[in-house]
């Protein structure tokens, strides 16, 4: 008998065993491997909250109907600072009171709001002051330890360590929901949705959500007996809107979606600064909702507390002011605004083909 045949059979058996071993190893490695970059991206709910179809995350659509907003240049470019916190079990429970005043004296309130929040003792949010234009909105959002409930207060204040918290409270919302409502009480819109977050103006990534703006009601916001000064998604106007809103455009009210039309370009506007160009793209792709009355001749973007400090550190000039290249870009953006007049619950952003993709799903 030839010895060739037995050797060949043994060789094939070794090949088969090796093959099966490699397959099993690959399956085991696959079960424990770190997800690759080719998998579907997700987002952090606290940094980029609410459903992908929330008004805060929906892009402008091809059927958007633009009408002129006719917003002029303001004397001041400002930042409406907002405060966001992730709370954890174990911090001391502190009572929440209604503010004692809108201006100075916020921490003198005595009306208990039947709310306690777990707050670190060293958290301080200063009172308003008697100086002109020193009554910040201080809209705020607290993500509760359960990871989904948002408590929103305005105007937030805490004047001493380990003290009580002050601010009117909006009914709680779910961070996984549409996120429409919140403690911007001039409109009833969200404290945290649409805010420019830390890192968004200074990174090389685009801003991928709608923004929030504050304009002067006396000059721009409309009110009449049949038009009560707000539209969806806002659910209210300022309590004194009948006396403080003197705008002439019935479509420009609390909750109006402002956006830069597609025929306008960075070159048309002669934008000079990196932040101005980044804001331009966000305002063309997503727009910005009017959420409050500035109360004076100023335009504001709503920003997370800390944005203006990192802005100054990165660019060498201030976000806020009344002169300079960024001020000029800031004003050009507001002057370029139109109103998306057919924005509504069934046609968010105007409807049609979206300018950019929807936000990825929440991953936590």
């Amino acid at each position: 008998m030839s010895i060739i045949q037995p050797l060949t059979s043994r060789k094939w058996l070794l090949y088969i065993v090796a093959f099966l071993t490699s397959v099993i190893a690959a399956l085991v490695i696959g079960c424990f491997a770190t997800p690759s970059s080719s998998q579907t991206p997700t987002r952090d709910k606290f940094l980029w909250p609410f459903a992908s179809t929330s008004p805060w995350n929906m892009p402008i659509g091809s059927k958007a109907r633009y009408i002129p907003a006719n917003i002029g240049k303001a004397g001041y470019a400002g930042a409406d600072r907002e405060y966001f916190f992730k709370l954890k079990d174990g911090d001391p429970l502190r009572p929440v009171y209604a503010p004692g005043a809108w201006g100075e004296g916020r921490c003198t309130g005595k009306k208990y709001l039947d709310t306690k929040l777990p707050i670190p003792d060293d958290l301080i949010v200063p009172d308003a002051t008697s100086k002109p234009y020193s009554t910040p909105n201080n809209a705020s959002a607290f993500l509760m330890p359960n990871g989904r409930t948002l408590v929103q207060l305005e105007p937030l204040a805490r004047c001493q360590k380990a003290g009580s918290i002050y601010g009117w409270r909006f009914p709680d919302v779910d961070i996984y929901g549409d996120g429409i409502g919140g403690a911007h009480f001039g409109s009833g819109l969200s404290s945290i949705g649409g805010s420019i977050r830390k890192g968004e103006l200074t990174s090389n990534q685009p801003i991928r959500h709608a923004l929030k703006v504050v304009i002067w009601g006396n000059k721009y916001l409309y009110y009449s007996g049949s038009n009560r000064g707000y539209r969806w998604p806002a659910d209210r106007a300022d309590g004194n809107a009948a006396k403080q809103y003197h705008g002439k455009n019935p479509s420009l009210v609390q909750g109006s979606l402002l956006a830069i039309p597609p025929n306008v370009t960075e070159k048309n506007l002669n934008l000079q600064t990196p932040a101005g160009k980044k804001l331009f793209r966000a305002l063309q792709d997503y727009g910005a909702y009017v959420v409050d009355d500035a109360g004076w001749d100023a335009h504001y973007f709503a920003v997370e507390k800390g944005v203006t400090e990192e802005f100054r550190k990165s660019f060498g000039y201030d976000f806020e002011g009344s002169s300079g290249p960024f001020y000029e870009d800031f004003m050009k953006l507001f002057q370029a605004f139109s109103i998306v007049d057919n924005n509504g619950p069934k046609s968010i952003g105007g409807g049609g083909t979206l300018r950019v993709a929807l936000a990825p799903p929440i991953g936590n």
Side-chain angles (χ1 to χ4, degrees):
M1 179 184 292
S2 169
I3 63 170
I4 296 176
Q5 183 64 35
L7 288 173
T8 303
S9 298
R10 189 177 294 113
K11 186 183 293 184
W12 278 108
L13 180 61
L14 291 172
Y15 286 161
I16 291 170
V17 171
F19 173 75
L20 291 175
T21 301
S22 66
V23 170
I24 292 169
L27 291 173
V28 170
I29 292 170
C31 289
F32 294 97
T34 301
S36 70
S37 59
S38 63
Q39 291 181 318
T40 303
T42 58
R43 56 190 164 98
D44 183 286
K45 65 189 176 189
F46 187 67
L47 300 177
W48 191 356
F50 305 127
S52 299
T53 53
S54 161
W56 303 114
N57 291 325
M58 279 291 285
I60 303 295
S62 60
K63 294 184 179 180
R65 186 168 67 247
Y66 298 90
I67 64 171
N70 296 321
I71 296 175
K73 191 173 183 178
Y76 188 78
D80 188 21
R81 292 169 179 80
E82 301 168 324
Y83 294 78
F84 309 134
F85 306 98
K86 283 196 288 188
L87 303 184
K88 59 185 180 182
D89 289 322
D91 280 326
L93 287 171
R94 301 301 183 190
V96 178
Y97 291 89
W102 175 255
E104 191 172 14
R106 291 175 176 183
C107 294
T108 63
K110 303 298 183 184
K111 181 179 180 180
Y112 178 50
L113 298 183
D114 197 26
T115 300
K116 290 185 177 181
L117 298 177
I119 302 292
D121 283 342
D122 59 355
L123 189 156
I124 295 290
V125 179
D127 193 2
T129 73
S130 58
K131 296 177 182 178
Y133 314 117
S134 295
T135 53
N137 287 318
N138 284 6
S140 62
F142 299 82
L143 180 61
M144 297 300 285
N146 65 13
R148 68 181 311 147
T149 302
L150 283 169
V151 174
Q152 299 178 79
L153 305 175
E154 186 195 71
L156 179 66
R158 193 201 205 183
C159 300
Q160 62 183 30
K161 291 183 178 181
S164 299
I165 310 298
Y166 297 86
W168 292 105
R169 181 177 181 176
F170 186 85
D172 296 350
V173 302
D174 188 338
I175 201 168
Y176 295 96
D178 63 25
I180 291 175
H184 269 284
F185 288 122
S187 62
L189 290 173
S190 180
S191 300
I192 189 170
S195 180
I196 298 173
R197 304 300 294 270
K198 286 184 285 189
E200 286 191 316
L201 286 175
T202 56
S203 75
N204 59 5
Q205 298 298 312
I207 298 172
R208 295 185 59 191
H209 57 79
L211 305 182
K212 291 181 297 202
V213 294
V214 177
I215 57 178
W216 192 12
N218 182 63
K219 189 171 184 179
Y220 296 112
L221 295 177
Y222 185 86
Y223 185 93
S224 71
S226 58
N227 180 340
R228 312 295 280 185
Y230 67 94
R231 61 187 293 177
W232 186 90
D235 68 1
R236 71 194 75 182
D238 283 284
N240 197 36
K243 294 183 178 179
Q244 72 188 63
Y245 295 180
H246 296 105
K248 305 302 182 185
N249 187 341
S251 292
L252 185 51
V253 292
Q254 299 286 3
S256 290
L257 176 59
L258 306 177
I260 297 176
N263 63 313
V264 180
T265 66
E266 290 178 22
K267 187 175 181 180
N268 292 154
L269 297 182
N270 192 28
L271 299 175
Q272 300 296 311
T273 63
K277 294 174 182 179
K278 177 174 277 196
L279 287 167
F280 168 86
R281 290 187 287 273
L283 294 171
Q284 194 163 68
D285 289 341
Y286 294 93
Y289 286 95
V290 179
V291 298
D292 258 317
D293 180 359
W296 69 302
D297 185 26
H299 300 327
Y300 292 82
F301 282 107
V303 307
E304 180 181 13
K305 179 71 170 67
V307 163
T308 56
E309 291 82 357
E310 69 174 14
F311 185 95
R312 172 73 188 183
K313 184 176 180 180
S314 293
F315 298 119
Y317 46 84
D318 290 326
F319 184 93
E320 300 179 279
S322 55
S323 63
F326 183 67
Y327 164 80
E328 296 296 338
D329 279 359
F330 194 119
M331 292 302 145
K332 289 173 185 176
L333 297 173
F334 276 78
Q335 290 172 289
F337 274 141
S338 285
I339 302 164
V340 180
D341 205 34
N342 60 338
N343 181 60
K346 295 182 179 180
S347 57
I348 302 176
T353 303
L354 303 179
R355 286 184 56 86
V356 291
L358 283 175
I362 292 173
N364 57 347

